[in-house]
Amino acid sequence: MPRYLLRRLFISVPVLFGISLVLFTILALAPGDPFEELATNPNVPAEVAQQLRQKFGLDDPVLVRYWRWVVSMLKGDWGYSFMSRVDVDTLILQRLPTSLWIIGMSQILGILIALPVGIYSAVRPYSVFDQIATTFAFIGFSLPTFFTGLIFILVFSIYFDWLPFIYRSDIAATGWRWAWEYLRQSIMPVAVLGLFQAASLTRFTRSAVLDVVQLDYVNTARAKGLSERVTIAKHVVRNALIPVVTLVALQIPNIFTGAVITEQIFRVPGIGSLLISAILSNDTPVVMAITFVYSGLVVIFNLVADLLYGWLDPRISYAGAR
Amino acid sequence: MANISVTATLPLGARRAGDSLWQEAWRRFRRHRLAMLGACVLLFMVVAVLSGPLAYRVPIDEIDFRAKLETPSWAHPLGTDDLGQDLLARMLYGGRISLAVGVAAMLIAIVIGTAIGAISGHLGGPMDHALMRITDLFLSLPQLPLLLLIIYLFRDVLKDVFGPEIGVFVLIVAVIGGLRWMPVARLVRAQFLSLREKEFVEAARSLGAPTMRQIVRHILPNTFGPVIVAGTIDVAAAIIAESSLSFLGLGFPPDIPTWGRILFDAKDNLDFAPHWALFPGAAIFLTVLSINYIGDGLRDALDPRKVLGQS
């Protein structure tokens, strides 16, 4: 297993490198100057702007600039936010836990809904339950997160007045009361994101389980007298989860798409809403850094998926160990 | 082989002699009730946005403060927004753009995906390896953040070159299409790898068909089924992507009221004018749902295993 982990880690390095190359190419191709904001600011004299340009080496050849950018990203020196007047990495580290909390909770919610529903649907295909579940899954992944979010606000905040629709990081309470308030305001963003995830996950699970249920070894398991419950739980699900994990890994970039929108709707102070406000205020270093953080998260989550994969299907981790 | 297929498909609905495979597929598609319903809803939407503005001649930008934030009435069937602009007229006009973005982005994704998949699957070797690594790389890019980054950096230039409307349209379509070709490329490559070795391609090769003809006449048409299904889903995904951008206020400018843009304007008035957000949201949802069901129906209809009656 450790060797397998090491091998997967090794594969993700070129991916990160490729992503950095794509990001930098986009930035290099972009017209205008990332420091335009500074240069056009009348409070900054021309020679200071020139000095800054020299300090940041904006007039050097592209390859040199790329190399310097990569090195400084690796060293954790991510630049300085023009708007907030703090270092970009401090800004992002402040916001990241909130984002990860929302994304993590919604993933858990999605899995908790999708696995039982998908498995039960596949065990009784074309039953009433399956048809209802399939219909809801179709509706679920056709409803864009921004619309679900607005409907949730309309129903639960405005009509029933049960839940707050603005996410606050400064709750004026302590102890249990604080935890309760924090949980209460997380419900809607987590539900919006989680239900969207659950919809496609249910479909994946259903078709994966459906493929496995028909195999001969499942009949063997039944024939040797195992109960239906044990057959499904021990023999079917574990094998069916292998393709599900692959598909979930492919879905990860989509999760972040949903997360950005959800954060924006509920004003969750995470990196997604920071990205939007940075774009609206032309804060290039922040925009670049957040895009890179999202890419990094995709790679990390893919690594987690790989590990799960190796655990579910030991053949995979042994294959490379030879 | 032909014998088997005819007998096997008979109970499903009798493949008559002389029917092409497309007619066969159409017959199977018609049996998928929800897909047919989806096709009807989508057709209605398309007809509405294409002919609607001709029949419903209310200007989209007529400001009338006396009629602001009105709920649906006879004068304004879908109500009005905070400037008293008629929502039905705006939605009909914006729907054109939303649907056009979906279709155009899908076409770009399919063209790029097919080209890369075909090159990769046909050439094989190091070229295949390199192209597939690039595909994997694109698959691990976070789409929306990247989309936002590109639009943020390039919006002003394209606006200057093409004008505000077409500039933003070209940019959004190109970027959405350019970030969605990977599944198509994988599908096409997989088909190429298996078809390349099939007898009928070998026959064409031994009859002296040049490479280009083998690809275009014999292999490519056989990849259409899965590509069409993937393309259908891509239209839905592109519509959602455009709406998301506009919803974040970073897509089309306010004078081009795409459905996402109307939602963006409506979201701060949710408590006293919910109709303003509900209509465009429902339009996006219905369109995407219909397209997804159509995709599902096409998957059943175009599945080659079912055409041969072996499933």
Side-chain angles (χ1 to χ4, degrees):
Chain A
M1 199 66 176
R3 290 190 59 169
Y4 170 69
L5 173 64
L6 217 68
R7 204 155 42 90
R8 300 313 304 183
L9 261 174
F10 233 72
I11 294 177
S12 47
V13 171
V15 173
L16 265 181
F17 174 73
I19 291 174
S20 75
L21 208 60
V22 170
L23 284 187
F24 192 81
T25 313
I26 292 169
L27 188 69
L29 283 176
D33 198 318
F35 285 88
E36 213 164 341
E37 190 64 22
L38 221 57
T40 48
N41 190 336
N43 295 327
V44 181
E47 54 265 35
V48 175
Q50 193 53 44
Q51 266 173 11
L52 275 174
R53 285 186 70 84
Q54 246 164 28
K55 184 183 158 207
F56 291 109
L58 286 182
D59 305 317
D60 292 342
V62 176
L63 273 178
V64 177
R65 286 197 331 236
Y66 173 67
W67 178 243
R68 197 179 306 119
W69 182 70
V70 168
V71 169
S72 63
M73 285 303 268
L74 284 179
K75 281 199 301 199
D77 173 17
W78 291 2
Y80 185 76
S81 161
F82 298 145
M83 284 302 128
S84 323
R85 311 276 168 207
V86 279
D87 283 341
V88 174
D89 47 343
T90 342
L91 196 61
I92 289 179
L93 281 179
Q94 267 173 14
R95 302 282 200 118
L96 196 56
T98 318
S99 286
L100 289 179
W101 158 256
I102 298 287
I103 292 173
M105 289 304 286
S106 64
Q107 277 305 296
I108 292 172
L109 177 70
I111 291 171
L112 284 182
I113 297 174
L115 284 190
V117 173
I119 293 168
Y120 196 79
S121 284
V123 173
R124 287 177 179 67
Y126 308 105
S127 63
V128 178
F129 178 85
D130 180 32
Q131 286 182 355
I132 294 174
T134 305
T135 311
F136 270 102
F138 257 96
I139 293 175
F141 66 73
S142 302
L143 264 173
T145 36
F146 50 86
F147 190 45
T148 340
L150 290 185
I151 292 179
F152 271 40
I153 291 181
L154 200 59
V155 175
F156 295 111
S157 294
I158 295 174
Y159 191 72
F160 287 122
D161 199 16
W162 285 343
L163 299 167
F165 62 88
I166 290 182
Y167 198 98
R168 299 161 48 135
S169 47
D170 53 335
I171 299 169
T174 47
W176 286 110
R177 178 115 198 100
W178 180 88
W180 167 243
E181 285 294 321
Y182 202 83
L183 216 62
R184 222 164 69 97
Q185 67 181 359
S186 308
I187 291 176
M188 282 206 291
V190 168
V192 166
L193 210 51
L195 290 177
F196 187 70
Q197 280 305 307
S200 42
L201 213 55
T202 307
R203 297 279 296 169
F204 294 158
T205 314
R206 178 182 179 273
S207 68
V209 173
L210 214 51
D211 281 345
V212 173
V213 157
Q214 303 164 346
L215 295 181
D216 288 338
Y217 82 90
V218 178
N219 279 334
T220 312
R222 288 199 186 110
K224 70 184 185 187
L226 293 184
S227 71
E228 188 65 18
R229 174 176 291 270
V230 175
T231 313
I232 299 293
K234 288 223 163 138
H235 292 251
V236 174
V237 170
R238 182 158 176 176
N239 277 295
L241 281 183
I242 296 168
V244 172
V245 169
T246 319
L247 288 163
V248 171
L250 276 176
Q251 282 274 310
I252 289 166
N254 288 352
I255 299 171
F256 293 124
T257 300
V260 172
I261 294 167
T262 315
E263 285 184 15
Q264 184 67 8
I265 297 173
F266 295 105
R267 306 196 197 153
V268 178
I271 54 172
S273 50
L274 180 65
L275 175 68
I276 307 294
S277 59
I279 286 180
L280 291 176
S281 56
N282 285 332
D283 202 348
T284 309
V286 179
V287 176
M288 285 301 285
I290 294 180
T291 318
F292 199 75
V293 167
Y294 272 119
S295 315
L297 286 176
V298 170
V299 173
I300 291 173
F301 276 79
N302 270 323
L303 214 60
V304 173
D306 275 339
L307 286 183
L308 268 177
Y309 209 69
W311 173 70
L312 284 167
D313 189 352
R315 284 171 303 178
I316 295 173
S317 47
Y318 287 131
R322 265 177 288 151
Chain B
M1 195 72 182
N3 225 347
I4 297 167
S5 78
V6 170
T7 43
T9 41
L10 264 176
L12 279 173
R15 173 160 174 212
R16 275 161 252 151
D19 277 5
S20 73
L21 285 174
W22 290 110
Q23 282 165 309
E24 171 83 19
W26 167 237
R27 194 169 309 123
R28 245 196 319 273
F29 182 77
R30 260 188 330 205
R31 260 202 308 274
H32 194 303
R33 258 181 303 152
L34 283 165
M36 275 310 282
L37 189 66
C40 292
V41 171
L42 190 68
L43 192 71
F44 171 77
M45 292 272 190
V46 171
V47 169
V49 298
L50 285 183
S51 64
L54 303 175
Y56 185 75
R57 295 192 150 280
V58 178
I60 63 160
D61 50 0
E62 190 182 51
I63 293 173
D64 177 8
F65 283 111
R66 281 167 308 171
K68 76 172 187 178
L69 293 177
E70 267 181 21
T71 45
S73 63
W74 283 113
H76 302 286
L78 298 186
T80 57
D81 63 13
D82 59 343
L83 298 174
Q85 303 175 107
D86 185 80
L87 275 178
L88 178 59
R90 287 175 78 77
M91 276 185 55
L92 288 174
Y93 179 82
R96 283 185 180 185
I97 317 253
S98 296
L99 293 177
V101 167
V103 173
M106 174 272 285
L107 288 177
I108 290 179
I110 282 191
V111 169
I112 300 178
T114 310
I116 290 188
I119 294 171
S120 195
H122 183 76
L123 290 181
M127 188 66 175
D128 174 36
H129 196 72
L131 283 176
M132 281 304 107
R133 287 292 80 73
I134 293 177
T135 311
D136 286 346
L137 173 64
F138 267 81
L139 274 171
S140 58
L141 289 172
Q143 299 222 348
L144 187 73
L146 201 66
L147 203 60
L148 290 171
L149 177 73
I150 297 176
I151 285 175
Y152 159 64
L153 290 172
F154 291 89
R155 186 161 50 176
D156 294 333
V157 200
L158 277 161
K159 249 186 210 166
D160 293 344
V161 178
F162 294 107
E165 283 189 31
I166 303 193
V168 177
F169 184 84
V170 168
L171 182 63
I172 287 181
V173 164
V175 177
I176 294 178
L179 289 175
R180 291 209 60 88
W181 52 266
M182 297 78 76
V184 178
R186 283 186 159 186
L187 279 173
V188 172
R189 172 177 174 272
Q191 291 280 320
F192 260 71
L193 288 182
S194 77
L195 290 170
R196 209 169 49 173
E197 310 301 331
K198 286 270 154 63
E199 290 86 349
F200 69 94
V201 179
E202 212 171 306
R205 205 178 301 140
S206 52
L207 283 172
T211 313
M212 227 24 218
R213 187 176 163 84
Q214 282 173 38
I215 293 177
V216 175
R217 286 286 302 175
H218 298 280
I219 302 185
L220 261 187
N222 282 294
T223 66
F224 282 168
V227 169
I228 289 175
V229 175
T232 319
I233 308 294
D234 271 351
V235 176
I239 290 177
I240 289 195
E242 181 275 316
S243 311
S244 307
L245 277 182
S246 299
F247 178 77
L248 295 172
L250 294 162
F252 285 95
D255 51 334
I256 307 173
T258 62
W259 294 336
R261 178 74 213 190
I262 301 178
L263 266 179
F264 170 73
D265 294 329
K267 73 174 191 307
D268 295 325
N269 301 293
L270 211 53
D271 39 354
F272 43 90
H275 68 275
W276 186 7
L278 287 178
F279 287 122
I284 297 172
F285 166 58
L286 272 182
T287 311
V288 171
L289 186 66
S290 311
I291 295 175
N292 280 336
Y293 270 124
I294 294 173
D296 200 44
L298 284 176
R299 198 191 323 263
D300 287 353
L302 296 176
D303 189 344
R305 280 175 304 178
K306 290 201 176 162
V307 175
L308 291 176
Q310 285 167 347
S311 92

